[in-house]
Amino acid sequence: MDLNNIKRFYFIGIGGIGMSALARYFKAKGFAVAGYDKTPSPLTGELEAEGIAIHFEDLGSQIPAEYQDTDSTLVVYTPAIPKTMGELVYVQQHHRVLKRSEVLGLITQTSKGLGVAGTHVKTTTSTMLAYVLSQSHQKCSAFLGGISSNFNSNVLVNAAADYSVIEADEFDRSFLRLKPYASIITAMDPDHLDIYGTAESFIEGFQEYADKHSDGHLLIYKYGLPLRQTGFRGISYGINEPDAQVYGTGLNYKAGRFFMNIHFGEEVWEEVALGLPGIHNAENALAVATMCKELGLSEAEIRSGLAHFKGVKRRFEYHVRTEKRIYIDDYAHHPTEIAALVSSVRLLYPDKKITGIFQPHLFSRTRDFELGFVQELAKLDEAIIMPIYPAREEPIPGVTSDELVRKIGGKASLKTPEQVCEYVASVHEGVILTIGAGDIDRIVPELKKIIERN
């Protein structure tokens, strides 16, 4: 599709993290932008403050008058919107309509798209990549799945840059619509089985994405992933994996900072400072350093970017950090992500009680990975489980938070958001974690106030 005739963009589901990034991008480019979302949020409030008109009721055929012009308006929607939603049904009958991933695909045709794919840590990795590039002589634009603490935004616009960093999302097979110049793949643990059906089909979806890098295009991937070599130029990475082409050693924590050595074959960069703690973030840094080195950044540029990277909101985000009380909020919503979160917290605070407040995301994911959730949440000293956040799904009989609590055992309890706040008010020391991808973030400001008040 040629975007030259488009003057207005209308987003259905504009409050989503990926959709809002596109909305901000086109607003910065001078287009008129408006849209719908189900409920107000801090993010929709920021968009409105930036001059984007948003409404929160389904208007059906009565969308704003200026966006009724089908010749100059492009409608963008997210697959998270129910197919029966009135506005979506109307625009699909009258307008040019594209999924968010298809619009990203168009953008990758006009720039050198750097994709970051993976079941886990793709948001942190893509944001880290965008930050390191933005601080170098190369520069970039970026479309991110979270709010960068460095940029305080989920989008970076640089019209003169050759590169665009794009979070390549596997949900709904969206990443297969991209045309990447080069990519990173961080993980391939099966997820979204409501979309893919089987673990084998999920892994094959990633293989299809890897195949887009044939003809010698660069693909950087975590060592051990089950990928078939199909013509891409592959570079593997891993922590303490000497058989990987790039690997890290000597991960250590001193004076409040994490450091590691990076081995590029015979070339070794010693004591590279990392802005974020944890083994998984060291792996992210390996992938980013490898990509940036391949793109021509200097060692000094890469070291500086990694050291000053502040992370992503809701990814191991500290809200309170005192001697007695620690409060960290994290987006983890898959057993593997919870395992990485809890192990990192144990490494940092081995003598403190760790209480995790977890909101399961989707009935289907809770069903498909119930055993993993039980196993990882049981590693907490105390596990508080909130009701399942349904998103786009209807309830599944027998799949409940009560069942998770029963299987975890005595250290687990079920609490509503209001009961969570009451409980946290009674806690005077230790580590509190809020964990999940639903709307658990709505109680984060209140929990922070409570903990600080205590």
Side-chain angles (χ1 to χ4, degrees):
M1 177 180 289
D2 185 2
L3 296 181
N4 290 331
N5 297 325
I6 301 300
K7 297 179 180 178
R8 300 174 182 83
F9 283 84
Y10 189 76
F11 289 83
I12 299 180
I14 196 169
I17 196 71
M19 290 282 280
S20 61
L22 277 178
R24 282 172 156 159
Y25 173 80
F26 287 114
K27 178 70 173 176
K29 289 279 194 178
F31 293 92
V33 177
Y36 156 87
D37 208 74
K38 186 176 181 180
T39 56
S41 69
L43 185 49
T44 59
E46 291 173 11
L47 295 178
E48 289 177 305
E50 294 165 16
I52 297 175
I54 302 175
H55 60 274
F56 303 97
E57 66 278 2
D58 184 350
L59 299 179
S61 62
Q62 303 302 309
I63 66 173
E66 61 269 36
Y67 294 89
Q68 295 277 3
D69 185 345
T70 58
D71 291 331
S72 62
T73 300
L74 180 64
V75 178
V76 186
Y77 77 101
T78 168
I81 293 292
K83 295 179 180 178
T84 56
M85 189 257 181
E87 287 189 26
L88 180 59
V89 171
Y90 171 75
V91 297
Q92 285 178 328
Q93 294 173 347
H94 297 88
H95 287 69
R96 287 176 287 182
V97 180
L98 292 179
K99 291 183 180 179
R100 167 183 167 268
S101 57
E102 292 173 316
V103 178
L104 285 173
L106 290 174
I107 292 171
T108 59
Q109 293 179 33
T110 58
S111 66
K112 294 180 178 178
L114 305 177
V116 179
T119 320
H120 321 299
V121 302
K122 58 179 172 286
T123 295
T124 301
T125 306
S126 58
T127 307
M128 187 186 298
L129 175 60
Y131 178 71
V132 176
L133 280 170
S134 72
Q135 300 303 299
S136 76
H137 71 281
Q138 290 284 19
K139 309 303 180 186
C140 69
S141 293
F143 304 88
L144 307 170
I147 304 298
S148 162
S149 296
N150 290 97
F151 305 139
N152 198 31
S153 179
N154 54 346
V155 66
L156 182 65
V157 182
N158 188 321
D162 290 333
Y163 297 107
S164 293
V165 176
I166 294 173
E167 185 169 321
D169 191 0
E170 74 276 5
F171 173 68
D172 197 39
R173 296 183 171 86
S174 294
F175 58 176
L176 299 183
R177 299 183 178 92
L178 303 179
K179 296 184 181 296
Y181 175 79
S183 287
I184 294 169
I185 298 181
T186 63
M188 291 167 52
D189 297 314
D191 196 2
H192 304 299
L193 299 187
D194 56 324
I195 302 293
Y196 288 88
T198 66
E200 292 75 15
S201 177
F202 181 86
I203 291 172
E204 191 57 34
F206 272 89
Q207 183 65 54
E208 288 183 53
Y209 182 73
D211 293 345
K212 288 179 168 287
H213 300 76
S214 57
D215 300 326
H217 282 229
L218 177 63
L219 181 65
I220 297 165
Y221 60 94
K222 185 177 175 180
Y223 179 78
L225 293 184
L227 289 171
R228 300 186 302 274
Q229 184 76 37
T230 56
F232 54 80
R233 183 166 66 89
I235 300 177
S236 60
Y237 68 92
I239 298 292
N240 297 323
E241 295 284 2
D243 290 333
Q245 289 154 286
V246 177
Y247 62 98
T249 61
L251 186 62
N252 65 93
Y253 182 69
K254 58 187 178 184
R257 299 294 297 273
F258 265 75
F259 296 85
M260 72 171 168
N261 305 321
I262 303 181
H263 302 253
F264 297 97
E266 298 298 319
E267 182 182 358
V268 182
W269 295 358
E270 295 184 351
E271 291 288 284
V272 177
L274 308 179
L276 297 181
I279 295 174
H280 56 297
N281 283 314
E283 290 180 334
N284 302 340
L286 279 179
V288 168
T290 303
M291 176 68 83
C292 290
K293 192 171 187 291
E294 291 290 320
L295 296 179
L297 273 66
S298 68
E299 178 181 348
E301 287 176 319
I302 295 170
R303 279 181 176 269
S304 177
L306 294 178
H308 293 95
F309 178 62
K310 296 179 181 178
V312 184
K313 296 185 185 301
R314 299 223 62 227
R315 271 69 172 183
F316 210 95
E317 182 181 12
Y318 279 97
H319 287 276
V320 177
R321 185 165 18 178
T322 66
E323 184 178 345
K324 286 190 174 183
R325 302 176 188 87
I326 308 294
Y327 174 32
I328 299 169
D329 179 43
D330 196 274
Y331 191 72
H333 56 283
H334 185 283
T336 303
E337 295 167 349
I338 295 173
L341 170 64
V342 175
S343 63
S344 294
V345 173
R346 288 279 184 213
L347 178 66
L348 291 169
Y349 307 106
D351 300 323
K352 291 188 182 293
K353 176 184 176 181
I354 302 174
T355 300
I357 303 162
F358 175 58
Q359 182 191 46
H361 183 263
L362 298 179
F363 293 101
S364 60
R365 181 182 284 121
T366 306
R367 175 198 62 201
D368 294 338
F369 302 106
E370 180 185 71
L371 181 61
F373 284 125
V374 170
Q375 181 178 350
E376 299 306 331
L377 292 168
K379 295 176 182 176
L380 293 161
D381 297 311
E382 184 168 0
I384 296 171
I385 313 300
M386 291 172 54
I388 295 172
Y389 182 78
R392 58 190 178 273
E393 293 185 340
E394 296 296 324
I396 298 174
V399 181
T400 65
S401 291
D402 295 274
E403 190 64 12
L404 284 179
V405 169
R406 186 183 71 80
K407 292 184 176 179
I408 293 168
K411 64 173 64 179
S413 62
L414 178 68
K415 287 180 171 53
T416 65
E418 294 76 18
Q419 291 169 330
V420 166
C421 292
E422 292 173 5
Y423 170 81
V424 169
S426 70
V427 177
H428 298 283
E429 60 182 346
V431 180
I432 297 286
L433 306 175
T434 42
I435 311 167
D439 61 0
I440 190 172
D441 61 313
R442 303 291 176 90
I443 66 171
V444 168
E446 182 62 24
L447 294 182
K448 180 179 179 180
K449 290 179 184 177
I450 291 169
I451 295 169
E452 289 178 334
R453 189 163 59 239
N454 281 352

